[in-house]
Amino acid sequence: QKEVEQNSGPLSVPEGAIASLNCTYSDRGSQSFFWYRQYSGKSPELIMFIYSNGDKEDGRFTAQLNKASQYVSLLIRDSQPSDSATYLCAAITGGGNKLTFGTGTQLKVEL
Amino acid sequence: DTEVTQTPKHLVMGMTNKKSLKCEQHMGHRAMYWYKQKAKKPPELMFVYSYEKLSINESVPSRFSPECPNSSLLNLHLHALQPEDSALYLCASSQDHYEQYFGPGTRLTVT
């Protein structure tokens, strides 16, 4: 079982819709979770982090964490074509100084 | 400011060459990282420096040699690489191993 799992996609949503990206993790000791956005040919960009159960909102982005279910999600409201990218879920594992990535979900926002 | 800089942006080298990748951050972060990323894969951790000391080496071949001259700089020395080492090499930094901020990367091609 991979430590951090995501569906590879592609996930296609129409412009203006809500995109929902999901991630599960296996290490119950993980406490810190991150979402990175990566455009093709570019480096990952940190867009959200969440450490506590519940929701955390930042602009059009909402991160959700459920430690009991070992589940992290990212909601993107009012999706725009510029949101089309690969979204990487990551968790701190291995005792606290290693960031483990999921394989990423490709999001396509269609006009 | 969350800027991490990397030079060069692109590098082409032969299998007998010696070259170095450079990374710099001025955010006062005490942890710095090297990752390798192949196309359509997530970043793979190579090395972690914490307070200028190597704390993680993910069983990376000795043809890759990291160096941390001071708290702002991180180098990756390359020697006798193989074509399969061609990838995007990413540097990242963080304060206390939480949010990691990536540089733009060096696109390496080994011929």
Side-chain angles (χ1 to χ4, degrees):
Chain A
Q1 182 184 10
K2 292 181 182 177
E3 290 184 274
V4 179
E5 295 204 55
Q6 300 178 253
N7 287 325
S8 59
L11 172 66
S12 293
V13 299
E15 184 178 6
I18 296 175
S20 178
L21 303 160
N22 304 314
C23 172
T24 58
Y25 61 95
S26 60
D27 182 358
R28 283 200 172 271
S30 295
Q31 298 292 321
S32 308
F33 303 90
F34 308 87
W35 284 98
Y36 286 84
R37 178 176 62 198
Q38 188 170 25
Y39 294 112
S40 181
K42 302 295 185 182
S43 64
E45 175 192 4
L46 180 63
I47 54 171
M48 289 289 286
F49 54 89
I50 186 166
Y51 303 149
S52 303
N53 270 333
D55 295 0
K56 178 181 178 183
E57 187 175 320
D58 184 1
R60 296 187 297 113
F61 299 103
T62 299
Q64 299 175 316
L65 174 59
N66 183 325
K67 290 185 181 179
S69 300
Q70 296 178 243
Y71 178 90
V72 191
S73 65
L74 179 70
L75 301 177
I76 307 174
R77 288 182 298 283
D78 189 24
S79 295
Q80 302 296 308
S82 59
D83 295 325
S84 298
T86 295
Y87 289 80
L88 295 160
C89 174
I92 296 289
T93 62
N97 58 0
K98 180 177 175 180
L99 189 63
T100 298
F101 287 89
T103 52
T105 298
Q106 185 184 5
L107 174 66
K108 293 184 177 180
V109 180
E110 297 168 333
L111 294 170
Chain B
D1 184 10
T2 56
E3 186 176 357
V4 177
T5 59
Q6 289 187 245
T7 56
K9 289 184 180 179
H10 302 276
L11 179 62
V12 179
M13 59 185 291
M15 289 189 284
T16 57
N17 291 159
K18 286 186 181 180
K19 296 285 185 183
S20 297
L21 309 184
K22 296 185 184 301
C23 174
E24 189 167 7
Q25 58 90 11
H26 292 289
M27 296 176 279
H29 288 173
R30 307 307 301 198
M32 295 185 76
Y33 311 78
W34 280 116
Y35 289 85
K36 172 183 176 180
Q37 188 177 26
K38 302 281 269 185
K40 298 193 185 300
K41 298 289 187 182
E44 293 176 46
L45 183 64
M46 300 174 72
F47 303 103
V48 179
Y49 273 84
S50 182
Y51 291 88
E52 301 166 46
K53 289 187 174 12
L54 184 65
S55 61
I56 293 181
N57 176 341
E58 291 285 281
S59 302
V60 178
S62 60
R63 58 187 184 268
F64 296 91
S65 175
E67 177 195 20
C68 189
N70 60 52
S71 60
S72 300
L73 292 173
L74 188 65
N75 298 322
L76 186 63
H77 303 297
L78 313 173
H79 174 54
L81 294 192
Q82 303 298 309
E84 60 264 28
D85 297 321
S86 298
L88 180 66
Y89 287 84
L90 296 161
C91 174
S93 72
S94 74
Q95 184 72 302
D96 299 331
H97 298 291
Y98 284 95
E99 302 98 69
Q100 290 187 23
Y101 296 92
F102 285 85
T106 294
R107 178 76 58 188
L108 175 67
T109 302
V110 181
T111 61

